[in-house]
């Protein structure tokens, strides 16, 4: 499958929007779990996102994907949205944020592996090395930022979220070539919302008893990290390879640390900042491409061959 060799400015902008909104989701999830169950948070978040997508489809008159694609997209929606959010929300009731951050950082490597197998995306040694370097940087950021890191059985649910997310990112890519990106994303959200419905039946009662601040956090989750974040992310996937785009997920833990520094006054250590630099270097290395040979050199080579 042909994909652009370089990330352009628009793709990088979309990735930045997605990462900034997604980085706020972890704290918002933890906050809402004080009044709602993991299933209720997942249902509310996806239902709000689906409502936003329905309005967008109506206003912009975007068609839904071709009917022949509905079964596969519905399955992707359940796996990548229902399973992902249910598992992540449940894990956040027990797993420390530092542990979850490290495990979630396996998404780029998992996506790269699936892209190579599923989409035949060629991964160079430089890309694989960059992914490894970035993962080292993420681990350093988390371990030196004062986060509590523990290993417990509940962490396995985060691993399920990692696999579900990678399948979702890679699986959508072929459908963007023959359908509208917004239409594909909206359809997966509709399916994902239905998938969480059995786990959030108590949502109306919980909403009636929840404080306004927790309801506001649900609205934020549904609009910013979900609706805006997923549109931006899929727009980037539409312009570049899944392995390239997913490598930027490594930026999420460092961004979370910086947000804590600015908003909460949680000053990072020098080792934390150094880990952030390593993460950036790894992502840059993973997305670097060999420069094309100058035209004169190509002409000389062709002349010699003739």
């Amino acid at each position: 499958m042909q994909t652009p060799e370089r990330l352009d400015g628009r793709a990088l902008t979309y990735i930045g929007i997605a990462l900034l909104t997604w980085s706020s989701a972890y704290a918002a999830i933890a906050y809402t779990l004080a009044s709602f169950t993991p299933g209720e948070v997942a249902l509310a978040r996806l239902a709000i996102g689906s409502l936003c997508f329905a309005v967008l489809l109506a206003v912009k008159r975007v068609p839904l994907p071709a009917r022949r694609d509905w079964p596969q997209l519905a399955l992707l929606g359940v796996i990548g949205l229902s399973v992902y959010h249910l598992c992540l929300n449940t894990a956040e009731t027990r797993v420390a944020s530092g542990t979850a951050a490290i495990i979630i950082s396996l998404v780029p490597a998992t996506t790269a592996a699936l892209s190579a197998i599923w989409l035949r995306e060629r991964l160079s040694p430089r890309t694989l090395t960059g992914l490894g370097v970035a993962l080292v940087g993420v681990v350093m950021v988390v371990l030196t930022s004062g986060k509590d890191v523990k290993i417990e059985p509940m962490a396995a649910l985060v691993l399920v979220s990692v696999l579900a997310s990678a399948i979702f990112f890679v699986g959508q890519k072929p459908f963007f070539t023959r359908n509208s990106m917004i239409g594909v994303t909206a359809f997966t959200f509709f399916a994902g919302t239905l998938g969480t419905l059995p786990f959030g039946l108590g949502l109306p009662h919980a909403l009636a008893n929840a404080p306004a601040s927790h309801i506001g956090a649900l609205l934020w989750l549904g609009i910013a990290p979900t609706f805006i974040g997923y549109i931006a992310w899929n727009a980037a996937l539409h312009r570049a390879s899944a392995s390239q785009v997913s490598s930027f997920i490594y930026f999420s833990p460092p961004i979370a640390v910086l947000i804590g520094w600015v908003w909460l006054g949680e000053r990072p250590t020098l080792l934390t900042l150094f880990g952030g630099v390593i993460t950036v270097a790894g992502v840059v290395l993973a997305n670097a491409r060999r420069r094309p040979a100058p035209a004169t050199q190509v002409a000389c080579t062709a002349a010699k061959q003739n």
Side-chain angles (χ1 to χ4, degrees):
M1 183 173 182
Q2 297 298 322
T3 52
E5 286 297 314
R6 290 182 181 275
L7 289 161
D8 58 18
R10 290 181 66 180
L12 291 173
T13 299
Y14 294 142
I15 292 170
I17 293 172
L19 289 180
L20 286 174
T21 55
W22 284 355
S23 295
S24 68
Y26 297 99
I29 290 171
Y31 186 67
T32 57
L33 286 174
S35 295
F36 304 97
T37 66
E40 290 166 354
V41 173
L43 174 59
R45 179 177 181 178
L46 293 178
I48 293 169
S50 292
L51 180 60
C52 292
F53 275 112
V55 173
L56 181 63
L57 291 180
V59 171
K60 296 184 71 70
R61 298 182 179 179
V62 177
L64 287 174
R67 286 183 178 272
R68 68 177 185 276
D69 294 332
W70 285 13
Q72 291 173 280
L73 287 175
L75 181 60
L76 285 174
V78 171
I79 293 174
L81 295 172
S82 306
V83 173
Y84 174 85
H85 289 293
L86 288 170
C87 289
L88 180 61
N89 294 350
T90 303
E92 281 209 32
T93 62
R94 295 286 300 278
V95 174
S97 60
T99 305
I102 291 177
I103 298 174
I104 286 294
S105 294
L106 294 173
V107 168
T110 307
T111 302
L114 283 178
S115 297
I117 298 172
W118 194 341
L119 303 181
R120 307 292 183 183
E121 290 183 1
R122 185 176 178 276
L123 302 178
S124 67
R126 181 183 299 178
T127 298
L128 296 174
T129 301
L131 292 174
V133 170
L135 181 58
V136 171
V138 167
V139 173
M140 183 178 293
V141 166
V142 174
L143 292 180
T144 60
S145 62
K147 304 291 184 181
D148 185 22
V149 179
K150 296 178 181 178
I151 300 299
E152 58 175 85
M154 192 66 76
L157 286 178
V158 187
L159 286 174
V160 175
S161 295
V162 168
L163 182 58
S165 182
I167 291 173
F168 185 63
F169 292 157
V170 176
Q172 288 182 105
K173 182 75 177 176
F175 295 99
F176 293 153
T177 61
R178 58 179 182 267
N179 296 287
S180 162
M181 181 275 295
I182 294 177
V184 168
T185 308
F187 189 90
T188 58
F189 263 79
F190 299 154
T193 302
L194 292 176
T196 60
L197 187 59
F199 302 91
L201 296 178
L203 180 60
H205 181 265
L207 285 171
N209 295 281
S213 59
H214 290 176
I215 296 175
L218 278 182
L219 289 172
W220 171 262
L221 274 174
I223 296 172
T226 308
F227 176 62
I228 297 175
Y230 276 94
I231 281 184
W233 191 258
N234 283 352
L237 279 176
H238 186 54
R239 301 182 67 86
S241 70
S243 56
Q244 276 183 305
V245 175
S246 66
S247 68
F248 285 83
I249 292 177
Y250 283 131
F251 281 142
S252 189
I255 289 174
V257 170
L258 290 176
I259 290 175
W261 185 8
V262 174
W263 286 358
L264 306 177
E266 298 175 346
R267 186 181 296 274
T269 66
L270 288 177
L271 282 177
T272 301
L273 295 176
F274 183 61
V277 172
I278 292 177
T279 302
V280 172
V283 173
V284 171
L285 179 62
N287 289 285
R289 290 292 181 270
R290 187 177 299 173
R291 292 183 178 180
T296 54
Q297 181 178 341
V298 173
C300 290
T301 302
K304 290 180 180 179
Q305 290 177 345
N306 292 332

